[in-house]
Amino acid sequence: MPILPLRPLPSLLLFSLVPVASWFIVRPLLDPMPSIPALYSSIGFSIFAFLATIYLVPALGPTFVKARLSGKDLLKYYDKSIPEQDLLVPESLGLVAASVYVLSLILFIPFAFSMPILEQSHVKKAAEGITVVEFPHYQLAVYLSSLLSLLVATMLGFLDDVFDIRWRHKLPIPIIASVPLLMVYYAERGNTNVVVPLPLRFIFGKLINLGPLYYVYMSLLSTFSTNSINILAGINGSEVSQALIIALSVILNDLLYLPWPIGFRIPLHLLGNKTELEFGGVWNAGMAYGSRELVERHLFSLYFMLPLVAVCVGFMYHNWYPARVFPGDTLCYVTGMAFSVVGIQAHFSKTLLLFFMPQIFNFLLSCPQLFGLVPCPRHRVPRFDKDTNLLYPSQAIPAQPDASTKRFPATPSRLATFVVRILSALKLTEVTTDPTTGAITNTTNLTILNVFLLRLGPMSEKRLVQVLICSQVAGSILAFFIRYALAWLVYDGDRR
Amino acid sequence: MPILPLRPLPSLLLFSLVPVASWFIVRPLLDPMPSIPALYSSIGFSIFAFLATIYLVPALGPTFVKARLSGKDLLKYYDKSIPEQDLLVPESLGLVAASVYVLSLILFIPFAFSMPILEQSHVKKAAEGITVVEFPHYQLAVYLSSLLSLLVATMLGFLDDVFDIRWRHKLPIPIIASVPLLMVYYAERGNTNVVVPLPLRFIFGKLINLGPLYYVYMSLLSTFSTNSINILAGINGSEVSQALIIALSVILNDLLYLPWPIGFRIPLHLLGNKTELEFGGVWNAGMAYGSRELVERHLFSLYFMLPLVAVCVGFMYHNWYPARVFPGDTLCYVTGMAFSVVGIQAHFSKTLLLFFMPQIFNFLLSCPQLFGLVPCPRHRVPRFDKDTNLLYPSQAIPAQPDASTKRFPATPSRLATFVVRILSALKLTEVTTDPTTGAITNTTNLTILNVFLLRLGPMSEKRLVQVLICSQVAGSILAFFIRYALAWLVYDGDRR
């Protein structure tokens, strides 16, 4: 049976985290009161969430296999003599990570919102700096509606895994998960104004009230953030590593808005900005410039992102090449929803989208296949060659087509030909043409993974996921540059 | 294929409900403002929830069968020549009912809580009587935490169905679903006082603060209400009919506390109470005696119970004998959680428990099997005899035991013998003894369904569920009698 050995867990190291996490959780109750008490509890819960994920995922794997939630890893070669059932990798284990994530957010409620802690923080002021009463009490409703959306996303992701919905049909499903968010946003009379970029102000003025369109925008954001991670999938560790890096980028961005106990400055002028950014000191909260509202928004974001990073790291340990568990759709649904929740509730959806650059690129590239211009097979993962043990770009029409395989028509439409030619000229795909008619007969699948393989040559699965991670990190660095060095070109200081 | 024909849907009748439901939903926006505007919307959403359930349940049945969520109805006889797969009944369809239920509660949020409607109801007073601003805005958090608990219950119920958790192991699972409720109750500093019954006041005083024990009580309540419905199951329509009658009883009880536009009185003195109950007239709200808080609590309960009744009726149409769909555990989890949510949040948990009398009886009766005193087979449903087409009491050790069957030890423990003898003397079970040693070798399974069959003789499955429904109705009538005619014996007027 132990053909796919479980990854070893360094128990001693892990258990030494328990007292650390416990200290963080109870820190708000100890003297002297820290300036952001609930942040400590959040870190403590995140460490526990990490531990729960890293232990529960392998422990529950067999249960998932028994419930027929398992699959063979198609990009690996094993001896034919091994019976198939010994090679089954448990699938949908993202459900465990998602459940741990949501549960830790639920258990965090009394630490962020309970009156005793809030009162204590009112009475005893921290020695210096801003004492942030983390959430105004009424924000509990906002927090709960976010949790509801995350839970609906978890549920829908798992339903997707169990009922195996065709991926073109499931594109609009995340809209359902955004409904609780929208309902409470409406009931709370959420802000539907957006700041107009400088070049457009002569038409719309400085602020424009999008009204109902703002709700459309919010639900589209959740649809995008969910699906864009879900379609950049298929190799070991790809889904969870994307989520991890985006979450870390959001956290880094949030940290810029918190009151820092130490003073330092970021030389933004080197990046072309007009001002420098000074941190630390009394009442100085980084980019928040003393605005309590901005600090609170970014704390809200941190409270959702810290445990997300924790469960992603715990899950990645088992999902890393060669994967011992698969995430299923649940992980993509819940991480995507978590990003749109913080983007919407903490009002930095445009910054958030900047962290999705590889996903946006992959989505735009995929459009011809998503919308039926180019034939789209059930799986678009790179092709595995068992002799070289490397991955190669996969074809839209595979070498061994079956009955359900769609093909290019004998004479592809002019639009399809045009689009494919353009992509080919941009070196984003490789086209096969009929030697007699010159008509397109096949292309590589339009995914960013295939683009990597086309441009950098065939590589191993582990290498490919490393390239993906590097591109995601590079995208985030570029995002920070655009947000903090170039944003003054289109926005003035009055930001929301 | 159509060996188990779907139940016909009277489309014309059903579609004529669409304009009715639409009118109810938008009623709060029309002049003159009704005194409880959101109640109209709630009725409208309930009608839509009924329609969605009655249409979606049969439509999604094949999807569930395809995902291997199906089973054969063990209490029916079909010709052996029919292939098994043609006789599969979709299982876990309670998920559809639960999803419709939760979604309708989510969509109801803006109608109950949005500022425009609340403001409108402030400006335009109803002609006479109490104008109830349904929820204080801060109660949104309470509503959302209830939704979270319901959603967690839905999720856990479905996980139970997919992973098929052994029922003795899953008893504590509903505690997890009650966590959001408890967390928000704590954060909102919920009331943990209980009124002490008159005979005990000389010890505890009038009010006693249970503190943390109150939270234990709340989580036990949700565990009980969930599991007690779940273990009274196994025949067509049993789970959903219990839930339906309890929900209707709760609604009837809620209606006693609402402001009625017409005046009438209930002659409570006939039941032995000291006062009569007068309804109607300005500021008179039945049992609420003009207390806005009581009216709001019972409105809260109504908002959860009306759509529950709707989805139960819609589901029952397809689950009625001979069942075309099975509910799975999801339905029991979500209905049980809904009852404990209203019992806790609207503070009438003791009254609620009175509506659970058949379940309490069944639970107490089951205890010897639940706690291992008497052997407990995987299923305790009555035994079906295909020749007479009737149900007979089932035995704890079936006639054809398999390897996993547990048996009585050769000499059963004295406690087990004592308990079984008592139950036998009360005519609640039938005992088989070894003719030589006199030791107990078998008993009938300890369920209320077997008691009905023992006392009333073998009957058809349809008849048995009708008997169950009658006992549930009789229990509710007795509950109202106890609550409103006898309660003054142990409580004075100061009730909460």
Side-chain angles (χ1 to χ4, degrees):
Chain A
M1 279 299 259
I3 305 214
L4 301 178
L6 292 177
R7 216 140 279 175
L9 291 169
S11 295
L12 201 67
L13 185 72
L14 292 175
F15 275 106
S16 68
L17 286 175
V18 171
V20 178
S22 310
W23 180 84
F24 271 107
I25 288 181
V26 299
R27 178 66 188 87
L29 305 170
L30 307 175
D31 264 333
M33 187 77 171
S35 61
I36 311 174
L39 188 55
Y40 287 80
S41 306
S42 178
I43 293 170
F45 276 109
S46 300
I47 298 173
F48 274 122
F50 162 72
L51 289 174
T53 310
I54 208 167
Y55 275 100
L56 282 178
V57 164
L60 292 174
T63 316
F64 280 67
V65 174
K66 224 172 111 190
R68 302 202 190 86
L69 291 164
S70 60
K72 226 184 112 184
D73 195 333
L74 298 172
L75 306 183
K76 305 282 181 299
Y77 176 72
Y78 293 103
D79 199 288
K80 289 262 184 261
S81 65
I82 303 171
E84 282 237 341
Q85 79 238 37
D86 286 353
L87 295 175
L88 288 178
V89 178
E91 172 80 61
S92 309
L93 259 294
L95 176 68
V96 176
S99 304
V100 169
Y101 176 55
V102 172
L103 200 62
S104 72
L105 287 173
I106 290 175
L107 292 173
F108 176 62
I109 292 173
F111 291 84
F113 297 100
S114 70
M115 293 313 283
I117 290 178
L118 289 181
E119 270 163 17
Q120 204 184 5
S121 68
H122 269 113
V123 174
K124 307 183 203 162
K125 287 276 173 222
E128 87 172 326
I130 298 179
T131 300
V132 183
V133 182
E134 296 92 303
F135 288 99
H137 199 58
Y138 70 87
Q139 276 214 15
L140 178 54
V142 173
Y143 186 87
L144 290 174
S145 71
S146 309
L147 270 180
L148 263 178
S149 280
L150 288 175
L151 205 53
V152 174
T154 307
M155 183 94 199
L156 292 172
F158 187 62
L159 291 183
D160 193 351
D161 282 337
V162 171
F163 294 111
D164 201 17
I165 305 167
R166 269 203 82 110
W167 64 275
R168 208 186 288 169
H169 297 156
K170 70 196 185 194
L171 286 182
I173 289 181
I175 292 180
I176 300 172
S178 69
V179 170
L181 221 56
L182 305 188
M183 292 294 125
V184 173
Y185 202 86
Y186 180 76
E188 294 270 10
R189 268 200 164 166
N191 181 7
T192 55
N193 293 312
V194 290
V195 182
V196 178
L198 289 171
L200 297 175
R201 286 203 185 156
F202 72 99
I203 310 174
F204 299 109
K206 201 171 166 191
L207 271 182
I208 183 169
N209 188 357
L210 289 183
L213 280 182
Y214 196 82
Y215 291 86
V216 176
Y217 169 70
M218 287 195 284
S219 54
L220 287 183
L221 183 69
S222 52
T223 312
F224 172 76
S225 59
T226 300
N227 284 306
S228 64
I229 296 178
N230 211 2
I231 65 173
L232 211 175
I235 63 171
N236 292 174
S238 59
E239 299 91 340
V240 68
S241 60
Q242 296 171 64
L244 181 62
I245 291 159
I246 296 172
L248 286 172
S249 309
V250 172
I251 288 177
L252 195 60
N253 184 54
D254 290 332
L255 290 179
L256 298 179
Y257 294 82
L258 292 199
W260 284 79
I262 45 160
F264 60 95
R265 63 174 60 199
I266 296 177
L268 272 184
H269 65 275
L270 295 182
L271 297 173
N273 208 335
K274 284 179 289 186
T275 52
E276 290 196 30
L277 187 55
E278 202 168 340
F279 286 86
V282 183
W283 297 110
N284 198 338
M287 300 287 295
Y289 301 117
S291 152
R292 164 167 291 206
E293 199 185 352
L294 269 179
V295 174
E296 278 168 356
R297 283 177 183 175
H298 285 278
L299 274 175
F300 178 92
S301 166
L302 271 181
Y303 295 155
F304 279 87
M305 287 296 117
L306 290 173
L308 189 67
V309 164
V311 298
C312 281
V313 172
F315 187 81
M316 201 168 172
Y317 184 72
H318 301 287
N319 185 228
W320 187 251
Y321 179 92
R324 294 303 175 230
V325 295
F326 291 145
D329 291 317
T330 320
L331 193 83
C332 301
Y333 273 75
V334 89
T335 52
M337 200 65 215
F339 294 132
S340 68
V341 158
V342 299
I344 291 167
Q345 306 281 33
H347 296 265
F348 57 82
S349 55
K350 281 172 304 208
T351 309
L352 179 73
L353 282 175
L354 287 176
F355 297 136
F356 273 81
M357 273 187 285
Q359 283 72 28
I360 294 173
F361 175 81
N362 185 59
F363 172 73
L364 292 176
L365 185 62
S366 300
C367 278
Q369 285 194 300
L370 292 182
F371 298 113
L373 221 53
V374 171
C376 183
R378 186 107 174 81
H379 296 288
R380 305 192 300 160
V381 285
R383 182 172 61 81
F384 173 67
D385 184 90
K386 68 181 169 59
D387 298 324
T388 59
N389 211 17
L390 296 179
L391 298 183
Y392 294 81
S394 60
Q395 301 285 320
I397 299 143
Q400 280 103 32
D402 61 25
S404 69
T405 305
K406 280 191 187 145
R407 291 154 192 280
F408 276 102
T411 47
S413 72
R414 256 196 264 176
L415 181 62
T417 310
F418 175 74
V419 168
V420 171
R421 293 276 178 219
I422 291 272
L423 292 174
S424 171
L426 292 169
K427 309 217 170 191
L428 298 175
T429 185
E430 237 172 47
V431 179
T432 317
T433 50
D434 188 309
T436 54
T437 64
I440 295 166
T441 56
N442 208 347
T443 70
T444 56
N445 280 311
L446 303 169
T447 69
I448 196 173
L449 296 178
N450 276 339
V451 171
F452 290 146
L453 292 171
L454 281 174
R455 300 270 54 81
L456 306 173
M459 58 183 102
S460 70
E461 188 176 0
K462 188 175 174 183
R463 189 72 198 282
L464 184 56
V465 77
Q466 286 168 340
V467 170
L468 177 66
I469 290 174
C470 289
S471 75
Q472 190 82 46
V473 171
S476 284
I477 293 171
L478 182 60
F480 275 104
F481 179 74
I482 294 174
R483 170 66 184 79
Y484 292 104
L486 301 182
W488 62 271
L489 291 175
V490 285
Y491 288 106
D492 54 18
D494 181 22
R495 310 196 33 76
R496 56 190 75 198
Chain B
M1 280 299 259
I3 305 216
L4 301 178
L6 292 177
R7 216 139 278 175
L9 291 170
S11 294
L12 201 67
L13 184 72
L14 293 174
F15 275 107
S16 67
L17 286 175
V18 171
V20 178
S22 311
W23 180 83
F24 270 108
I25 288 181
V26 299
R27 179 65 188 85
L29 304 171
L30 307 175
D31 264 334
M33 187 76 171
S35 62
I36 310 173
L39 188 55
Y40 286 79
S41 307
S42 178
I43 293 170
F45 276 110
S46 300
I47 298 173
F48 274 122
F50 162 73
L51 289 174
T53 310
I54 208 167
Y55 275 100
L56 283 177
V57 164
L60 292 174
T63 316
F64 280 67
V65 175
K66 224 171 111 190
R68 300 202 193 87
L69 291 164
S70 59
K72 226 183 112 184
D73 196 333
L74 298 173
L75 306 184
K76 305 281 181 300
Y77 176 71
Y78 293 102
D79 200 287
K80 289 263 183 258
S81 66
I82 304 170
E84 283 236 343
Q85 79 238 35
D86 286 352
L87 296 174
L88 288 178
V89 179
E91 174 79 60
S92 309
L93 260 293
L95 176 68
V96 177
S99 305
V100 169
Y101 176 55
V102 173
L103 200 62
S104 71
L105 286 173
I106 290 175
L107 291 173
F108 176 62
I109 293 173
F111 290 84
F113 298 100
S114 69
M115 293 315 282
I117 290 178
L118 289 181
E119 270 164 18
Q120 205 184 4
S121 69
H122 269 115
V123 175
K124 306 183 205 162
K125 287 277 172 221
E128 89 173 323
I130 298 180
T131 299
V132 181
V133 182
E134 295 93 302
F135 289 98
H137 199 60
Y138 70 87
Q139 277 214 15
L140 178 55
V142 173
Y143 186 88
L144 291 173
S145 71
S146 308
L147 270 180
L148 263 178
S149 280
L150 287 175
L151 205 52
V152 174
T154 307
M155 183 94 198
L156 291 172
F158 188 61
L159 291 183
D160 193 351
D161 282 338
V162 171
F163 294 112
D164 202 15
I165 305 167
R166 268 203 83 109
W167 64 275
R168 209 186 288 170
H169 297 157
K170 70 197 185 194
L171 286 182
I173 289 181
I175 292 179
I176 301 173
S178 69
V179 170
L181 220 56
L182 305 187
M183 293 293 125
V184 173
Y185 202 86
Y186 180 76
E188 293 269 10
R189 268 200 166 168
N191 181 7
T192 55
N193 293 312
V194 289
V195 182
V196 178
L198 290 172
L200 296 176
R201 286 203 185 157
F202 72 98
I203 311 174
F204 299 111
K206 201 172 164 192
L207 271 181
I208 183 168
N209 187 358
L210 289 183
L213 280 182
Y214 196 83
Y215 292 86
V216 175
Y217 169 69
M218 287 194 285
S219 54
L220 287 183
L221 183 69
S222 53
T223 312
F224 172 75
S225 59
T226 301
N227 285 305
S228 64
I229 297 179
N230 211 2
I231 64 173
L232 211 175
I235 62 171
N236 292 173
S238 59
E239 300 91 341
V240 68
S241 60
Q242 296 171 66
L244 180 62
I245 291 160
I246 297 172
L248 287 173
S249 309
V250 172
I251 288 177
L252 195 60
N253 184 53
D254 290 333
L255 290 179
L256 299 177
Y257 294 82
L258 292 200
W260 284 81
I262 45 159
F264 61 93
R265 64 174 60 199
I266 296 177
L268 272 184
H269 65 277
L270 295 181
L271 298 173
N273 209 334
K274 284 178 288 185
T275 52
E276 291 196 29
L277 188 55
E278 203 168 341
F279 285 86
V282 182
W283 297 110
N284 198 337
M287 300 287 295
Y289 302 117
S291 151
R292 162 167 292 203
E293 199 185 352
L294 270 178
V295 174
E296 277 168 355
R297 283 177 184 174
H298 285 280
L299 274 175
F300 178 92
S301 165
L302 271 181
Y303 295 155
F304 280 87
M305 287 296 117
L306 290 173
L308 188 68
V309 163
V311 297
C312 280
V313 172
F315 187 80
M316 201 168 170
Y317 184 74
H318 301 286
N319 184 229
W320 188 250
Y321 179 92
R324 294 305 175 228
V325 296
F326 291 145
D329 291 317
T330 320
L331 191 83
C332 301
Y333 274 75
V334 89
T335 52
M337 200 64 214
F339 294 133
S340 68
V341 158
V342 298
I344 291 167
Q345 305 281 33
H347 296 265
F348 58 81
S349 55
K350 281 172 304 206
T351 309
L352 179 74
L353 282 176
L354 287 176
F355 297 136
F356 272 80
M357 274 188 285
Q359 284 72 29
I360 294 173
F361 176 80
N362 186 59
F363 172 73
L364 293 176
L365 185 63
S366 301
C367 279
Q369 285 194 300
L370 292 181
F371 298 113
L373 219 53
V374 170
C376 184
R378 188 108 173 83
H379 294 288
R380 306 192 300 159
V381 286
R383 181 173 62 81
F384 173 66
D385 183 89
K386 69 181 167 60
D387 298 321
T388 59
N389 210 18
L390 296 179
L391 298 183
Y392 293 80
S394 61
Q395 301 285 322
I397 298 142
Q400 280 104 32
D402 60 25
S404 69
T405 304
K406 280 190 189 146
R407 291 155 193 279
F408 276 101
T411 47
S413 72
R414 255 194 267 176
L415 181 63
T417 311
F418 176 74
V419 168
V420 171
R421 293 280 176 215
I422 292 273
L423 292 175
S424 170
L426 292 169
K427 310 215 171 195
L428 299 174
T429 184
E430 238 173 44
V431 180
T432 317
T433 50
D434 190 310
T436 53
T437 63
I440 295 166
T441 55
N442 208 349
T443 70
T444 56
N445 280 310
L446 302 169
T447 69
I448 197 173
L449 296 179
N450 275 339
V451 171
F452 290 146
L453 292 171
L454 282 174
R455 302 269 54 80
L456 306 173
M459 58 183 103
S460 71
E461 188 176 1
K462 189 175 174 183
R463 189 70 198 283
L464 183 57
V465 77
Q466 286 168 341
V467 170
L468 178 65
I469 291 174
C470 288
S471 74
Q472 191 82 46
V473 171
S476 283
I477 293 171
L478 182 61
F480 275 103
F481 178 74
I482 294 174
R483 169 68 183 80
Y484 292 105
L486 301 182
W488 62 271
L489 291 174
V490 285
Y491 288 106
D492 54 18
D494 182 22
R495 311 195 35 74
R496 58 188 75 198

